[in-house]
Amino acid sequence: MAIIDTAAAPHEAHRDNHTHRDVNGGRLRPAVFGAMDGLVSNLALMTGVAGGSAGREAVVVAGLAGLAAGAFSMAAGEYTSVASQRELVEAELDVERRELRKHPRDEEKELAALYESRGVEAGLAREVARQLSRDPEQALEIHAREELGVDPGDLPSPAVAAVSSFGAFALGALLPVLPFLLGAGALWPAVLVTLLGLFGCGAVVAGVTARSWWFGGLRQLTLGGAAAGVTYALGSLFGAAV
């Protein structure tokens, strides 16, 4: 009979490469939001201007202005929002750190009660809490995760969020302008390129989030196309009224 070394044999899940992606970082959300916003908002802006019977030059200027204004606005907004959230978390961590320093026994009892409420036997819960509370930094990390739902060592970076948003928005917003910069004289190449970009971006994001690529692509294409259609109609209406 073959003897299996259980210490050396990996769990079935780990043999299947059971790993998790980073879901708490400050990169994916601002990058995705920035790219989608750049594609949709700049295409909508340009179609609105074109719908008002503006010439090619006006459409290009509107697209470039939308790119610059939107990219800086996205970066500033992301930086401020992520920085504010981080400052709030750090303030709460300071509160928890003071409590651990002033009332270590009470915090240990609180942690034991938490484990006990989750089904751990009372004696074992107290022992686990005692051992985990010996290191103040480890205790802080555990309390932060259990009470605040955050990892003190993995807080999102405002700078990363701002740079991701700026770059993603600028790249997305450049796509509708690109056909005009390459010599196109009509609107339809910009619309076509942007819709393809929306589909591709949606498909890539769906792959990252384990959704169907065609669903993600069609969802973004539909939303972006609808926004462009509405703004073109409004531009035509307002242009005729003027």
Side-chain angles (χ1 to χ4, degrees):
M1 179 184 295
I3 299 175
I4 299 176
D5 185 359
T6 56
H11 188 275
E12 184 68 30
H14 292 282
R15 285 203 298 268
D16 293 336
N17 192 27
H18 179 70
T19 57
H20 295 286
R21 288 162 286 191
D22 177 18
V23 297
N24 293 320
R27 295 177 294 274
L28 180 60
R29 189 192 69 84
V32 171
F33 182 61
M36 297 299 183
D37 193 19
L39 284 163
V40 175
S41 64
N42 220 29
L43 177 64
L45 174 63
M46 293 170 64
T47 54
V49 172
S53 301
R56 177 181 179 277
E57 292 77 10
V59 174
V60 173
V61 169
L64 292 175
L67 186 158
F72 282 107
S73 176
M74 283 288 295
E78 279 294 332
Y79 185 91
T80 302
S81 63
V82 174
S84 299
Q85 182 66 27
R86 185 180 179 119
E87 289 163 2
L88 174 61
V89 171
E90 288 174 342
E92 292 301 312
L93 289 175
D94 286 339
V95 171
E96 193 64 36
R97 190 177 286 108
R98 285 196 300 270
E99 288 298 310
L100 284 167
R101 186 173 62 252
K102 293 179 180 179
H103 310 289
R105 296 293 298 171
D106 291 339
E107 291 297 307
E108 182 180 319
K109 291 178 181 178
E110 181 181 305
L111 190 60
L114 176 64
Y115 289 142
E116 191 174 346
S117 70
R118 293 183 177 177
V120 179
E121 294 181 0
L124 180 58
R126 288 194 296 271
E127 179 61 19
V128 170
R130 185 188 69 80
Q131 293 190 30
L132 293 177
S133 299
R134 288 183 297 195
D135 181 355
E137 287 304 312
Q138 178 177 259
L140 174 64
E141 181 177 332
I142 293 170
H143 279 275
R145 286 179 174 174
E146 298 292 351
E147 298 176 28
L148 302 176
V150 298
D151 183 351
D154 192 28
L155 299 181
S157 166
V160 169
V163 171
S164 298
S165 293
F166 183 94
F169 185 98
L171 184 62
L174 177 63
L175 213 54
V177 189
L178 196 57
F180 287 101
L181 297 179
L182 294 177
L187 181 64
W188 69 264
V191 174
L192 178 61
V193 168
T194 305
L195 293 180
L196 289 174
L198 283 167
F199 184 88
C201 193
V204 169
V205 172
V208 172
T209 57
R211 294 293 300 272
S212 299
W213 65 269
W214 58 267
F215 174 82
L218 286 176
R219 178 174 61 182
Q220 296 307 322
L221 187 150
T222 301
L223 293 173
V230 170
T231 53
Y232 184 85
L234 290 174
S236 300
L237 178 63
F238 295 149
V242 173

